[in-house]
Amino acid sequence: MQPAQEDALTVFQTLDKLLARDTVQVELIPEKKGLFLKHVEYQVTSQRYKISVYRRYSDFDVFHEVLLQRFAYRVVPALPPKRMLKGVLTSVSEREFIEGRRRALSRFINLVARHPFFSEDELVKTFLTFSGSDVQTKLRDTYKKTGDEFMTNRIATLAKEYLPADIQSQFSTSRELIRNIHNSFNKLRDRAEKMAERSKENATDLLMFGRELSTLGSDSSSLPTFASSQSTWGALRKSLKSLSVEFAVLSDKAAQQGRREEDDVVEKLNVFLDLLQSYRDLCERHEKGVLHEHQRALHKYGMMKRQMMSATVQPKEQASVEQLESRIVQQENAIQTMELRNYFSLFCLHQETQLIFIYLPITSHILGAFVNSQVQGHREMGEVWSELQPKLGCLFGGNNGLKPTL
């Protein structure tokens, strides 16, 4: 390849540059109609365009649909499901589902807004800035004016010239590597979710532990005469009630720790996992879509050629022969277009593979967030435990099994 061709195929980006393109906030705005919550609306705020617009799930759905039509050969993240599975709906599960969907929509729009090719497209700008009453019609009209990327990319029909000779081998090797990375990140996310859940459970246990101490201290039952003269329990139990305050603080710190692990660690892992899953979906679209259609077209073309050969051997009406010739020419043109699309699909796939590797340094962001959350959580809880230690000595006298601090 010539240097200029190589430049056209290479994605010159870094993770920091992609993250700096935009940050989009997606906040929940419930809209109440009647007795029940009928619709959920989202306030979508783009830092890049400095504007807030209001969107419903159906708007995201149409945006995803036209984005996939426009960029069929690119990684388009999937949307979360619109509804929960029937039979599992409770007030708590519904709230969790709505919050989980909000997070997923936020990941989706941020991946799209930071994509090196999507971010400059009119479709994305329309979704993030159009404040009219019918954004869905506006999105569809915008797509109709431009068409898909193959029709608008200036090098689409020349993609074959830019591809390395071993493109299929490179693709297979990269795909296997990315599949392994995907599997590992799935396991990392699962462990991070369990740690966040344990922090929340720890918060509940600490709160309940403090409440039980308070219950114990609130018991005003009289002690039996044989115990009252020798036991210090009467004075001791009065001190227990005040300890519930410290355990409530500890519970709050543990809950904050769980939220940090969920927001800073699990969410970052989910962002990258969404991207990896969309890459897997793209590979399947390439194989089942463009390649499959190309093979079908070639098969159809072969059948038509055999019909033509049969027509030359066995005399037929001139009109039917001319009609068959016309259909063969049309099929040849269709095959040529499919071949061009196939090469452009490989071209885009090569660029999207680069995008995955550009995102890989997010691992350091995830690890940094994980370490910082643990340091902050242990420090804050350690401070409360340290304050509680001398208080126990003052309340109960002696060291009461407490190890002296060095």
Side-chain angles (χ1 to χ4, degrees), residues 59 63 66 123 126-127 135-143:
D59 300 328
F63 176 53
V66 294
L123 269 179
T126 299
F127 184 80
V135 68
Q136 297 181 19
T137 300
K138 180 70 175 176
L139 287 167
R140 289 194 171 102
D141 290 345
T142 302
Y143 169 68

Side-chain angles (χ1 to χ4, degrees), residues 24-36:
V24 184
Q25 300 289 334
V26 179
E27 300 299 335
L28 207 58
I29 302 176
E31 183 181 340
K32 293 183 179 178
K33 290 185 177 181
L35 296 174
F36 301 100

Side-chain angles (χ1 to χ4, degrees), residues 15-46:
L15 178 60
D16 288 342
K17 285 181 180 178
L18 291 180
L19 296 179
R21 281 177 178 249
D22 201 357
T23 297
V24 184
Q25 300 289 334
V26 179
E27 300 299 335
L28 207 58
I29 302 176
E31 183 181 340
K32 293 183 179 178
K33 290 185 177 181
L35 296 174
F36 301 100
L37 194 66
K38 297 294 184 183
H39 297 285
V40 174
E41 200 170 26
Y42 303 93
Q43 182 177 10
V44 179
T45 306
S46 166

Side-chain angles (χ1 to χ4, degrees), residues 55 75 113 171 213 250 254 264 274 277-278 309 351 382:
R55 299 286 181 255
V75 286
F171 169 56
L213 287 177
L250 285 167
D264 299 341
D274 286 354
Q277 182 59 50
S278 63
M309 290 174 65
Q351 291 187 323

Side-chain angles (χ1 to χ4, degrees), residues 96-161:
E96 290 176 348
F97 170 77
I98 290 173
E99 171 58 16
R101 190 175 67 178
R102 182 199 68 78
R103 287 174 180 265
L105 291 173
S106 178
R107 296 194 301 270
F108 162 79
I109 193 60
N110 276 284
L111 282 171
V112 168
R114 292 164 176 171
H115 191 283
F117 301 104
F118 301 166
S119 58
E120 302 305 319
D121 194 77
E122 192 63 28
L123 269 179
V124 177
K125 184 179 180 182
T126 299
F127 184 80
L128 292 174
T129 62
F130 181 73
S131 55
S133 58
D134 192 355
V135 68
Q136 297 181 19
T137 300
K138 180 70 175 176
L139 287 167
R140 289 194 171 102
D141 290 345
T142 302
Y143 169 68
K144 287 176 185 176
K145 290 176 185 176
T146 55
D148 79 337
E149 190 184 10
F150 180 79
M151 304 299 294
T152 58
N153 192 303
R154 61 183 177 80
I155 61 172
T157 57
L158 306 172
K160 183 179 179 180
E161 299 175 18

Side-chain angles (χ1 to χ4, degrees), residues 152-329:
T152 58
N153 192 303
R154 61 183 177 80
I155 61 172
T157 57
L158 306 172
K160 183 179 179 180
E161 299 175 18
Y162 294 88
L163 295 172
D166 62 343
I167 182 63
Q168 292 290 358
S169 174
Q170 286 189 30
F171 169 56
S172 297
T173 303
S174 297
R175 186 179 184 181
E176 183 61 28
L177 176 58
I178 291 171
R179 184 185 289 116
N180 293 335
I181 290 170
H182 193 174
N183 291 337
S184 292
F185 269 83
N186 260 321
K187 292 174 183 176
L188 287 171
R189 191 269 314 276
D190 291 345
R191 293 298 172 184
E193 282 183 336
K194 287 181 180 179
M195 284 187 279
E197 193 59 38
R198 280 200 298 269
S199 293
K200 294 176 184 176
E201 290 172 356
N202 188 33
T204 302
D205 289 340
L206 285 165
L207 186 63
M208 296 310 297
F209 192 91
R211 286 180 179 174
E212 288 304 324
L213 287 177
S214 179
T215 301
L216 206 57
S218 300
D219 185 4
S220 57
S221 304
S222 300
L223 292 173
T225 53
F226 65 84
S228 59
S229 59
Q230 299 176 6
S231 176
T232 59
W233 175 243
L236 184 61
R237 68 181 180 184
K238 292 179 182 177
S239 305
L240 294 176
K241 191 174 182 180
S242 63
L243 294 180
S244 63
V245 175
E246 277 76 11
F247 278 94
V249 174
L250 285 167
S251 173
D252 184 56
K253 297 296 183 186
Q256 290 176 29
Q257 172 72 4
R259 285 193 293 271
R260 276 194 300 271
E261 289 167 347
E262 200 171 57
D263 296 342
D264 299 341
V265 183
V266 175
E267 242 350 75
K268 284 183 173 68
L269 283 163
N270 279 329
V271 167
F272 192 41
L273 282 169
D274 286 354
L275 184 64
L276 290 167
Q277 182 59 50
S278 63
Y279 179 80
R280 178 176 288 185
D281 295 342
L282 173 63
C283 293
E284 291 180 1
R285 281 204 306 276
H286 173 74
E287 291 176 339
K288 295 179 180 178
V290 180
L291 288 180
H292 184 63
E293 287 176 10
H294 190 203
Q295 289 166 357
R296 278 172 50 191
L298 287 172
H299 177 69
K300 184 178 179 181
Y301 178 70
M303 290 178 62
M304 292 168 71
K305 290 290 283 185
R306 285 192 293 272
Q307 289 175 4
M308 189 65 187
M309 290 174 65
S310 175
T312 57
V313 174
Q314 301 175 2
K316 291 191 175 183
E317 292 183 10
Q318 185 65 27
S320 64
V321 173
E322 289 177 355
Q323 187 180 27
L324 187 57
E325 287 177 342
S326 174
R327 286 172 57 203
I328 288 174
V329 171

Side-chain angles (χ1 to χ4, degrees), residues 43-58:
Q43 182 177 10
V44 179
T45 306
S46 166
Q47 200 173 82
R48 176 182 181 181
Y49 294 109
K50 296 179 172 56
I51 188 173
S52 291
V53 292
Y54 297 94
R55 299 286 181 255
R56 287 186 175 172
Y57 179 88
S58 57

